[in-house]
Amino acid sequence: MSVSQFMKKIVAKNPGESEFHQAVQEVAESVMPFIDANPKYKEGKILERIAEPERVIMFRVPWLDDKGKPQVNRGFRIEMNSAIGPYKGGLRLHPTVYLGLLKFLAFEQVFKNSLTTLPMGGGKGGSDFDPKGKSDNEVMKFCQSFMTELQRHIGPNTDVPAGDIGTGGREIGFMFGQYKRLRNEFTGVLTGKALNWGGSLIRPEATGYGCVYFVNEMLKHVNDSMKGKICTVSGSGNVAQYTIEKVNQLGGKCVTLSDSGGTIHDSKGIDAKKLAWVMELKNVKRGRIKEYAKKFDAKYLEGKRPWGVKCDVAFPSATQNEIDGSDAAALVKNGCIAVGEGANMPSTPEAIEVYMKAKTLYGLGKAANAGGVAVSGLEMSQNSQRLAWSREDVDSKLQQIMVSIHETCIKYGKEGKFVNYPNGANIGGFVKVADAMLDQGLV
Ligand code: NDP
C-alpha cells in the first residue's frame, strides 16, 4: 500500500482531525519503505493497528466557578498503545484541545516513549479547560472534577499521566490529591509530582535539558558544539525556561522568549538572573512575557513569533505548527544550522521540507523532547522502589538516554554523511513497538 492510499483510509476514518492526519503521515512516510522491506510488519498490519487507539475515553467535567456558577468542560484520555508498558503521556489543558489534537499527541508519544529505551506505552489526555485567568480555587475545582472521572481509568500499572501545556506542578498536585482521596492509595499514578511527595529531581528540567543535550549530540556529530551559539526560543513555559538554563550552562546565548501575545528579543542574552525573573513571572505571578521588555529594556514584537530573529539554533518550545514554511525559510536564510524541537510537532510539513533541503540538523520533537517522559519513567521507577535518586544520578541517566536516542537516529536514519533524523526516530521508535505487538498476538 502506498502512503497516499494508507492516508486516504486514515482521513476517512478520522474526519476533521487534521493534526492527527499530519502526525500519522509524517511517520508513514518514514516507515512505509521499511515495512515494505520487512514483510512481517506488513502482514501483521502493524501500522494500521498503531494508528488506531486501543481506547478513547471522553467525559464531562462539571465544576463551580468562584461566583458559584456551574461550568462544563470536556475531558479526554487517549490510551493509544500498551505494547511495551503502561500508557504514559501528559495532560494538556488548553482551549484548543479536542479529540484530534490529543490523538496526534498520543500517537507521537508511542514512538517517543519507545525511543527512550524505557518500558512505557503511549497515551495523552487533557481538556478544553483554560487555566489562564482562573483563580487557584477554580483550577482546583476543575482538577478535582477531572480526576473524579479519570481515576477509574488510570493506575500505576495501567496508565500514568503527567504534565503538558497548562498542566504544571500546581495542577498535578490537585489531581494527585483527589486520586489519593478517592482511591485511598498513595501510588505513582502521576508524574511531575513535587519532591516532598514522590517527585523526581530533574523532572521539571528534563524536557528542556534533554532537548539541549540532543542538539549538542547533533552538533558533536558534525564536530561542533553549543558553545557560542545564538539561540532563539519560543514559549516561556516549562520547556522554554529549562532550555535556556541548559543553553547558558553549555556556553550558548538565548535571545528570545514568547507567549501567545508576542515575542521578546533581548540581544544581550537571557542570563541566569533574567531567567529567574521570568520563572517568577510565569510560574508564580502568571504574567505575560511583554513585561520582560519593559523590565530589561528589550524589544517586544507584538503578535510575532521569534523565527525572524537571526540565530544559529532554534528551539521551538511552545506548541504545534508554530514554524511554517516561510518561518523555516527565514531561519535557514539567517544562518540557522540546527533545530531542536522542545514542543511536539512545532514544524509544519512545509517547514520540514525546507530543513531537509537545506540539510539543517533537524531534531524532531519525538526524539529531541523525549527527555521529559524519560525522567517521568525514572520517577515511576523511583516510586516503585520507594527511593529517591540524587540530582546527579537522574541527570546522568537523562544524558545517557538522550545519547542513546541520538544513536538510534543515526542507526536508522544515516544517508551517507547526512542523518535523516525523522527517518531515524520514526523507524527506531516503530521497531520496538512493532516487534512487541507481533510477540503479543492480535491485540
Ligand atoms: P507550558 O504550559 O508550561 O508553556 C507553554 C508555552 O507555550 C507558554 O508560553 C504559552 O503561552 C505558549 N503557547 C501555548 N500554546 C500556544 C499557542 N497556541 N500559541 C502561542 N503560544 C502558545 O507548557 P510546556 O512548556 O510544558 O509545553 C510546551 C510544549 O512542549 C508543548 O508542545 C508540549 O506538548 C511540549 N512538551 C512538553 C513536555 C513537558 O515535560 N512539559 C514534554 C514534551 C513535550 P501562553 O501562556 O500565552 O499560552
Side-chain angles (χ1 to χ4, degrees):
M1 194 176 5
S2 70
V3 173
S4 71
Q5 283 166 329
F6 173 72
M7 284 312 301
K8 245 191 195 155
K9 286 190 179 170
I10 292 288
V11 172
K13 237 180 159 181
N14 304 275
E17 299 178 359
S18 58
E19 297 87 353
F20 180 61
H21 306 158
Q22 185 182 335
V24 175
Q25 169 126 13
E26 199 243 353
V27 168
E29 279 171 5
S30 290
V31 302
M32 215 60 124
F34 180 79
I35 289 174
D36 282 338
N38 293 275
K40 61 180 179 178
Y41 301 128
K42 199 187 215 158
E43 281 151 25
K45 289 215 170 168
I46 295 294
L47 191 59
E48 288 86 337
R49 282 157 64 193
I50 288 185
E52 188 66 29
E54 286 180 15
R55 188 174 301 107
V56 171
I57 302 147
M58 203 162 110
F59 50 98
R60 181 202 299 157
V61 188
W63 55 279
L64 277 184
D65 68 17
D66 284 348
K67 293 189 183 111
K69 293 233 164 68
Q71 301 288 340
V72 184
N73 286 101
R74 182 173 286 177
F76 301 88
R77 186 72 184 162
I78 317 296
E79 296 184 333
M80 199 76 194
N81 195 301
S82 61
I84 61 169
Y87 309 106
K88 180 93 199 89
L91 296 170
R92 180 171 293 193
L93 301 182
H94 195 271
T96 55
V97 163
Y98 78 106
L99 182 64
L101 191 78
L102 295 178
K103 275 169 68 180
F104 121 61
L105 289 162
F107 181 77
E108 291 271 299
Q109 198 81 47
V110 173
F111 298 84
K112 183 190 307 190
N113 293 4
S114 162
L115 283 169
T116 64
T117 69
L118 301 175
M120 299 182 289
K124 199 87 189 187
S127 171
D128 58 359
F129 173 78
D130 186 0
K132 231 179 279 167
K134 303 284 192 304
S135 68
D136 284 352
N137 184 52
E138 287 175 325
V139 171
M140 182 176 75
K141 294 260 185 60
F142 167 82
C143 289
Q144 290 179 338
S145 179
F146 182 79
M147 187 50 86
T148 300
E149 173 59 32
L150 188 66
Q151 57 88 20
R152 70 186 89 244
H153 307 287
I154 61 176
N157 298 313
T158 312
D159 184 353
V160 183
D164 190 68
I165 291 178
T167 306
R170 173 181 63 170
E171 291 74 17
I172 292 290
F174 293 150
M175 290 182 194
F176 185 80
Q178 184 71 352
Y179 182 89
K180 191 163 55 66
R181 196 170 174 206
L182 293 169
R183 301 284 286 258
N184 195 25
E185 50 184 47
F186 195 112
T187 54
V189 69
L190 291 166
T191 57
K193 301 185 290 297
L195 285 179
N196 49 343
W197 43 275
S200 173
L201 285 159
I202 303 285
R203 176 62 189 91
E205 293 90 336
T207 308
Y209 276 22
C211 189
V212 181
Y213 291 146
F214 190 84
V215 168
N216 204 32
E217 285 305 305
M218 293 199 298
L219 289 168
K220 264 204 242 161
H221 194 67
V222 295
N223 298 317
D224 202 344
S225 79
M226 281 302 299
K227 207 164 168 55
K229 295 285 179 294
I230 304 292
C231 305
T232 46
V233 179
S234 66
S236 45
N238 171 270
V239 178
Q241 293 168 12
Y242 289 104
T243 294
I244 294 183
E245 187 164 287
K246 188 50 76 180
V247 167
N248 287 344
Q249 286 170 11
L250 297 188
K253 178 160 99 172
C254 295
V255 295
T256 66
L257 273 169
S258 71
D259 60 22
S260 49
T263 294
I264 60 103
H265 178 199
D266 182 350
S267 53
K268 294 189 281 302
I270 303 162
D271 60 19
K273 239 174 149 177
K274 293 174 182 174
L275 181 61
W277 184 89
V278 170
M279 288 182 174
E280 171 79 11
L281 174 77
K282 284 288 169 184
N283 311 345
V284 181
K285 294 188 185 138
R286 300 185 191 273
R288 309 304 298 158
I289 202 63
K290 192 179 180 172
E291 296 167 46
Y292 181 105
K294 245 197 246 151
K295 172 87 184 162
F296 298 112
D297 194 24
K299 271 191 225 150
Y300 182 60
L301 313 168
E302 176 105 37
K304 291 246 162 62
R305 300 185 286 214
W307 316 126
V309 174
K310 189 172 165 46
C311 68
D312 303 308
V313 183
F315 287 101
S317 313
T319 194
Q320 64 280 349
N321 292 329
E322 55 168 313
I323 302 184
D324 62 20
S326 60
D327 294 325
L331 283 171
V332 168
K333 188 167 155 260
N334 284 332
C336 173
I337 55 164
V339 176
E341 294 187 337
N344 285 308
M345 206 169 76
S347 304
T348 63
E350 295 73 30
I352 297 171
E353 234 181 276
V354 172
Y355 307 146
M356 288 299 156
K357 259 202 200 123
K359 304 266 188 249
T360 308
L361 299 173
Y362 171 46
L364 71 167
K366 56 174 86 72
N369 72 37
V373 73
V375 174
S376 274
L378 301 178
E379 183 173 329
M380 288 166 72
S381 304
Q382 292 170 78
N383 291 165
S384 302
Q385 291 182 318
R386 299 200 186 281
L387 284 175
W389 302 338
S390 72
R391 196 177 163 84
E392 293 68 33
D393 216 4
V394 180
D395 194 27
S396 104
K397 286 191 166 71
L398 168 63
Q399 288 186 50
Q400 281 164 27
I401 288 171
M402 298 318 294
V403 168
S404 126
I405 296 174
H406 187 259
E407 281 165 1
T408 303
C409 288
I410 292 178
K411 178 172 173 191
Y412 290 103
K414 207 160 168 36
E415 294 173 356
K417 273 196 174 155
F418 177 66
V419 182
N420 183 324
Y421 284 95
N423 278 358
N426 288 328
I427 299 170
F430 173 83
V431 170
K432 185 174 169 192
V433 176
D435 287 344
M437 288 173 76
L438 288 177
D439 290 345
Q440 292 168 22
L442 194 54
V443 289

